[in-house]
Amino acid sequence: RRHTRFKCDWSSDVCSSDLKILGLELDGNAAENDLSFTRWEIHYDIHLAGDRALVRDCFVHDSQSEGIGIGGEGAAVESCRILRTAGNGIHLSGARAANIINNVIKTTNLAGSRPGHEDGNISFSINYGRILVMGNHLEDGLAGIGGQNLLSYDRIIVANNTFTNFASVAFEGNFGVGVNRIIDIHGNQFHNAGRVLLNFSDAVVV
């Protein structure tokens, strides 16, 4: 069954750095696939793990699991629309100095727990700090920002985002342990968005 997907793994030399995906529409075709077999590890519409990867002005929709996954050093997802994903909207894993800016992410986690790693519109997995999430509109999912594997962060900034229509949790995560853990959360708007649930250990909140 038809499934449009672009994938670049850590093992790919071709996509190891400086890859750009600009202005594409990617249809994950979830409606014509059996989502009982979908998994977050293998079902990304876009998966880029190379350094300085850029996804900009793309429309990603009806994904079988994750919409966009990024890792590596200096990756960015900018000005994209992500709509109706069975899993998370944007999944950060192994990312350092990543920017998630001016995206619209709506209606995620439609398959519930079946794909695994269910976190929210933006999933913070195991990362390595200096993550900027700014100017995004996040609406209707398990959470706006979710994930429990945040112990590696040395800085995270969540600024000027809109969180709308999350039944229980708008933003959740665990932060710490260690020195120079700085969490900067400011200028965000919350509308019918549930709780902000953050656990800190040896972190500085500004």
Side-chain angles (χ1 to χ4, degrees), residues 21-44:
I21 300 179
L22 308 175
L24 291 183
E25 177 179 349
L26 292 102
D27 180 356
N29 199 31
E32 296 186 27
N33 287 273
D34 184 354
L35 297 185
S36 63
F37 297 101
T38 191
R39 288 295 302 174
W40 71 270
E41 300 99 322
I42 57 175
H43 290 105
Y44 288 82

Side-chain angles (χ1 to χ4, degrees), residues 75-190:
V77 180
E78 301 176 354
S79 302
C80 292
R81 289 185 298 150
I82 302 172
L83 179 64
R84 296 186 304 271
T85 64
N88 303 303
I90 296 177
H91 189 144
L92 289 84
S93 183
R96 301 174 299 278
N99 293 330
I100 309 299
I101 299 175
N102 295 336
N103 302 285
V104 174
I105 308 173
K106 299 175 65 174
T107 316
T108 64
N109 306 109
L110 290 173
S113 61
R114 280 181 295 176
H117 213 315
E118 63 277 10
D119 294 317
N121 285 17
I122 298 175
S123 169
F124 285 169
S125 188
I126 298 174
N127 296 287
Y128 301 99
R130 294 171 289 140
I131 308 297
L132 173 64
V133 179
M134 183 173 68
N136 302 283
H137 177 83
L138 309 175
E139 181 175 348
D140 187 25
L142 186 63
I145 298 175
Q148 298 297 315
N149 300 317
L150 304 179
L151 303 183
S152 312
Y153 280 101
D154 57 13
R155 175 178 287 271
I156 177 173
I157 300 173
V158 178
N160 304 325
N161 303 284
T162 302
F163 295 77
T164 301
N165 195 30
F166 297 101
S168 59
V169 179
F171 183 2
E172 66 170 344
N174 293 324
F175 300 90
V177 170
V179 297
N180 299 322
R181 308 298 192 206
I182 299 175
I183 316 301
D184 183 345
I185 303 172
H186 69 269
N188 301 286
Q189 298 184 35
F190 299 87

